[in-house]
Amino acid sequence: MAIRVPRIIKKSSTSLDVPKGHFAVYVGEQQKKRFVIPISYLSQPSFQDLLSQAEEEFSFNHPMGGITIPCREDIFIDITSQFRI
């Protein structure tokens, strides 16, 4: 049995680190961490649920200047590691 590794490119700190076909999201409840993820995640129902949660909490005024997902980092990684893209 193989161990599945998340397709998150990496934790990132600058806009120059975002390759074509990816986008940055900020994840966390208190301290936000920036992740670069594939655009294809947008089609995943569980990712859409996370975005809905972000919309409810932040509306469209994201304090970090990008998409902010208000969940724990380990939950985000657990959810996204299950995507088959």
Side-chain angles (χ1 to χ4, degrees), residues 46-61:
S46 53
F47 191 77
Q48 291 172 8
D49 290 342
L50 288 175
L51 290 178
S52 293
Q53 180 182 353
E55 181 182 7
E56 288 175 16
E57 183 155 332
F58 294 114
S59 182
F60 287 105
N61 181 19

Side-chain angles (χ1 to χ4, degrees), residues 2-55:
I3 296 175
R4 192 152 158 58
V5 179
R7 292 190 52 173
I8 295 173
I9 298 297
K10 62 181 172 178
K11 291 181 188 173
S12 171
S13 59
T14 69
S15 62
L16 300 175
D17 295 336
V18 182
K20 186 175 182 175
H22 293 75
F23 66 104
V25 296
Y26 296 90
V27 177
E29 294 174 322
Q30 298 296 323
Q31 182 179 9
K32 310 287 189 258
K33 293 190 180 176
R34 186 172 185 262
F35 291 88
V36 176
I37 60 175
I39 288 176
S40 57
Y41 280 16
L42 293 171
S43 65
Q44 297 294 316
S46 53
F47 191 77
Q48 291 172 8
D49 290 342
L50 288 175
L51 290 178
S52 293
Q53 180 182 353
E55 181 182 7

